[in-house]
Amino acid sequence: MAKKQKKNVSNTLLKQFTTRMLVVLLVILGVSGIVQYYYLNSIIDSNVRVESSKVSASIEQGIKETDTASRSIENQIDLKLKLVAQRISDRLGNQSVNTITNSELAQISKDFGIGGITIFVQKGDDIVGVSSTTPSDIGFSFKKFLGADNHSLQSLIDLLHGKPVIRDEESYVDSNTTILPIAPSGSNKSNTPIFYKYGYYHANGSTYIINPFIKANEVYQFTQSVGPNSWIKTVLRTNKDAKEVAVLDPKVYADPSLLKNKYNMLKKVEYGEFNSETKKDSSVIASMVKHPQKVSYIEKQNGFSYYKMFIPMKDGKVIYVALDYNRMSAPLKNMSWILLVFSLLSLLALFVLATRFFNSIYKNIQAIMTQIKQLEVGDFTARSIVTDTGELADLSASTNHMTETLNEVLKDTTKHAEKVQSLALALKSDTDNSVEKVYSLSIDLTSRAREDNFEVSNFLDMLEEKTKLIEAKSDREEIMNRIMTIKELSNNRTESTTDITLTLSDLIQSLHNQSIELSDISGSLFNNMYQFKLK
């Protein structure tokens, strides 16, 4: 029953250790997983930000380079267009606007090899075309096309009246010339846009504006082919993580009515594509008009995760980059899973090793405890066997050595107890015999002493009676003194003999009692020794 209880206690302790160890390892695994998750997320976000910054920097550099090239080309065209306008003015001379014919303008246009010429005059608060090589330009109204509050309309009115023109979107401005950037024709009714370079020249003293223009489709196509679109296509082709790249105009997002003005050529997406646009994106882009700052976030659409970044440029435009967040995070997530699996395997191996180690230690401790329990009940044959090395092996060896020593001591003690018991029994036997002999001897001696004393006393009494008959007093007293002395000696001798006999009897009795007590002690010692189990 006791062994069964010990076994149950052992199993309970082992189960408690295993459970606690497993809980601790699971907690460690959970904490390490959480830390690893947040750490890897931070690394993923950092890598995505760096990659998107590289893409945006590349696009921005492409825009700068293209803009520099475009400005250089456009500046050459502006200077040529100004020179052509001056020569047209010279050809027209001092003619009034009513005398200038469309055929004359067509001939001049042909002579200078330009796309066409239109003559504009002011009518009220509007600038209207009255003569042109292009029939659709006759009657063309800037006010209708651009609106009454448009800067370009006001610039033409100021130019016609010799006022300084405040440069805004114009590519070239001087005291009597303003040239617009390449733009689609406002009078073109076809679905295919035709791009022109428009110049506006007012000769001193004239009442009209000369508008020479040249076709700029080739220039426009050139700047488009080598410009940001080309860079964007290159980025999308070479960078598998990039899904969308675009250059956006936040002014249009803030004021969508600007799209109605075709002359301004304003678009939401200047370059690239922005197919994943959401309301949140539109709101963020519109806010950059007043608060130009980099914004980035992760957005899910149709089961696809985009990492979107909006980066404002110095010219007011915004570079938009959308990266494949799933693709970019996949390697690190895979690495995270690999690390998590290896961590789990490591902890599992640690759990198995720790459990086996604990079992080994626990078995060794149980062996030593079992030995000690056996020693408690007097079994000095118990030995503990610990095969491991270390402190428990040393403790087991020390316990075994102590048991051997105690075993030898108890065996020697048992031998001495046996010897003491045999001597006590011999002493008891001898004292028993001596008591009887001494007792009979003392009785005999005492009887003889008394008889002798009686004989002597009778003799002395008779002698004393006879002495009394002596007449001489001195002789009589001397004899009486001697008789008294002899009586005392006889009595003393009898008493001494009795005392010696009694003393010797007491001594023998004492030895007898001590032999009995010694025998009892040796018997008790034997009884105690019998409780121990010895080799």
Side-chain angles (χ1 to χ4, degrees):
M1 185 68 179
K3 289 184 178 180
K4 188 175 181 180
Q5 290 179 348
K6 290 180 180 178
K7 187 175 181 180
N8 291 335
V9 171
S10 175
N11 292 334
T12 301
L13 290 175
L14 182 60
K15 186 177 181 180
Q16 287 179 352
F17 172 80
T18 304
T19 303
R20 291 175 182 176
M21 188 73 178
L22 184 60
V23 169
V24 170
L25 293 180
L26 290 176
V27 170
I28 293 173
L29 181 63
V31 172
S32 64
I34 293 172
V35 172
Q36 183 174 282
Y37 172 79
Y38 283 105
Y39 177 69
L40 287 177
N41 274 348
S42 66
I43 293 178
I44 291 171
D45 292 341
S46 176
N47 290 345
V48 171
R49 282 195 296 270
V50 170
E51 188 65 26
S52 59
S53 297
K54 288 180 181 178
V55 173
S56 63
S58 175
I59 298 300
E60 189 171 9
Q61 181 64 25
I63 291 174
K64 287 180 180 178
E65 293 178 2
T66 304
D67 187 61
T68 301
S70 299
R71 287 180 183 278
S72 178
I73 295 172
E74 203 161 349
N75 187 55
Q76 296 298 321
I77 297 174
D78 291 343
L79 295 176
K80 178 182 178 181
L81 202 57
K82 174 180 172 58
L83 181 60
V84 169
Q86 288 176 339
R87 294 182 66 184
I88 292 171
S89 178
D90 293 340
R91 286 278 297 270
L92 293 175
N94 295 324
Q95 293 186 68
S96 66
V97 67
N98 295 326
T99 61
I100 300 173
T101 63
N102 295 335
S103 59
E104 184 182 6
L105 292 176
Q107 185 59 45
I108 294 173
S109 175
K110 183 178 180 181
D111 292 343
F112 287 109
I114 61 176
I117 303 171
T118 301
I119 301 299
F120 286 97
V121 297
Q122 183 177 1
K123 291 184 178 181
D125 58 352
D126 193 7
I127 299 294
V128 181
V130 293
S131 301
S132 177
T133 57
T134 305
S136 61
D137 282 353
I138 298 173
F140 177 80
S141 169
F142 274 91
K143 183 177 180 180
K144 291 181 180 179
F145 186 75
L146 300 177
D149 298 329
N150 186 267
H151 168 77
S152 296
L153 174 60
Q154 187 60 45
S155 297
L156 293 177
I157 294 174
D158 291 340
L159 180 68
L160 188 61
H161 291 281
K163 295 181 180 179
V165 176
I166 300 173
R167 185 171 182 175
D168 184 16
E169 297 178 352
E170 295 79 4
S171 61
Y172 181 86
V173 173
D174 62 16
S175 60
N176 54 7
T177 308
T178 176
I179 301 175
L180 300 180
I182 297 173
S185 172
S187 61
N188 178 38
K189 303 301 181 181
S190 65
N191 293 328
T192 303
I194 301 175
F195 294 91
Y196 287 93
K197 184 72 172 173
Y198 292 95
Y200 299 90
Y201 178 79
H202 175 251
N204 292 330
S206 67
T207 59
Y208 56 85
I209 294 175
I210 301 172
N211 169 220
F213 54 89
I214 59 175
K215 269 191 177 183
N217 280 335
E218 293 80 5
V219 177
Y220 181 78
Q221 295 299 330
F222 171 76
T223 56
Q224 291 297 311
S225 63
V226 300
N229 280 327
S230 176
W231 279 90
I232 290 172
K233 290 178 181 178
T234 302
V235 169
L236 292 175
R237 185 176 64 254
T238 58
N239 192 325
K240 301 300 181 182
D241 296 325
K243 289 300 177 183
E244 288 184 335
V245 179
V247 178
L248 311 175
D249 190 343
K251 293 180 181 178
V252 180
Y253 280 88
D255 185 9
S257 63
L258 295 175
L259 292 173
K260 298 178 181 179
N261 190 341
K262 297 181 180 179
Y263 191 77
N264 289 330
M265 292 181 62
L266 296 177
K267 297 184 290 185
K268 283 187 174 182
V269 182
E270 294 280 339
Y271 308 102
E273 294 182 353
F274 189 16
N275 297 324
S276 63
E277 179 182 346
T278 62
K279 291 183 179 180
K280 180 179 180 180
D281 299 335
S282 301
S283 176
V284 169
I285 299 168
S287 67
M288 289 188 173
V289 175
K290 295 183 178 180
H291 305 287
Q293 58 182 358
K294 183 186 295 185
V295 178
S296 62
Y297 49 84
I298 299 172
E299 194 169 48
K300 290 186 177 181
Q301 289 180 264
N302 301 322
F304 192 88
S305 295
Y306 290 96
Y307 182 88
K308 295 183 176 181
M309 180 174 282
F310 301 91
I311 306 169
M313 298 173 61
K314 292 181 180 179
D315 62 355
K317 300 295 190 294
V318 173
I319 295 176
Y320 158 70
V321 179
L323 300 177
D324 188 344
Y325 187 80
N326 292 335
R327 176 184 172 86
M328 296 188 70
S329 61
L332 288 174
K333 286 183 177 179
N334 293 336
M335 181 61 69
S336 174
W337 280 111
I338 292 172
L339 291 175
L340 189 62
V341 169
F342 273 102
S343 299
L344 180 60
L345 292 176
S346 299
L347 291 175
L348 184 61
L350 178 62
F351 173 73
V352 172
L353 291 175
T355 304
R356 292 184 62 183
F357 180 69
F358 175 78
N359 286 341
S360 175
I361 293 177
Y362 188 74
K363 287 179 180 178
N364 292 333
I365 293 175
Q366 283 296 107
I368 296 174
M369 289 180 64
T370 301
Q371 181 186 15
I372 294 174
K373 292 290 184 182
Q374 289 176 322
L375 292 177
E376 287 180 356
V377 298
D379 185 2
F380 286 90
T381 62
R383 298 291 184 272
S384 59
I385 301 175
V386 176
T387 56
D388 296 338
T389 59
E391 288 78 3
L392 289 177
D394 295 340
L395 178 61
S396 176
S398 299
T399 306
N400 290 336
H401 180 69
M402 179 188 68
T403 304
E404 290 287 349
T405 303
L406 289 174
N407 194 73
E408 294 296 329
V409 171
L410 290 174
K411 286 170 69 176
D412 291 342
T413 304
T414 303
K415 291 179 181 179
H416 287 92
E418 291 176 353
K419 187 175 182 180
V420 170
Q421 189 177 37
S422 62
L423 292 175
L425 291 174
L427 179 61
K428 183 175 179 297
S429 176
D430 292 340
T431 53
D432 287 340
N433 295 328
S434 298
V435 166
E436 293 178 0
K437 292 178 180 181
V438 169
Y439 183 72
S440 60
L441 180 61
S442 62
I443 293 175
D444 184 51
L445 290 174
T446 301
S447 299
R448 287 181 181 182
R450 288 180 178 178
E451 289 176 358
D452 292 341
N453 185 38
F454 182 73
E455 291 294 332
V456 171
S457 295
N458 287 334
F459 173 73
L460 291 176
D461 289 337
M462 290 176 62
L463 183 59
E464 185 178 358
E465 291 295 332
K466 295 296 183 181
T467 302
K468 289 181 181 180
L469 298 178
I470 298 174
E471 295 181 357
K473 184 178 180 181
S474 58
D475 294 335
R476 186 175 66 245
E477 288 180 355
E478 182 178 358
I479 292 171
M480 290 297 290
N481 289 335
R482 291 289 182 92
I483 289 171
M484 293 301 296
T485 301
I486 291 170
K487 280 184 177 182
E488 289 179 359
L489 289 173
S490 178
N491 290 332
N492 290 337
R493 181 179 178 185
T494 300
E495 291 177 358
S496 296
T497 300
T498 302
D499 291 339
I500 290 172
T501 302
L502 293 175
T503 301
L504 184 58
S505 177
D506 292 339
L507 176 60
I508 296 301
Q509 186 64 39
S510 176
L511 288 174
H512 181 267
N513 293 335
Q514 289 179 6
S515 67
I516 293 173
E517 185 177 355
L518 187 59
S519 178
D520 292 339
I521 291 173
S522 62
S524 176
L525 182 60
F526 264 116
N527 291 331
N528 292 333
M529 293 302 295
Y530 289 148
Q531 295 178 3
F532 298 110
K533 187 178 179 181
L534 305 174
K535 286 185 177 180

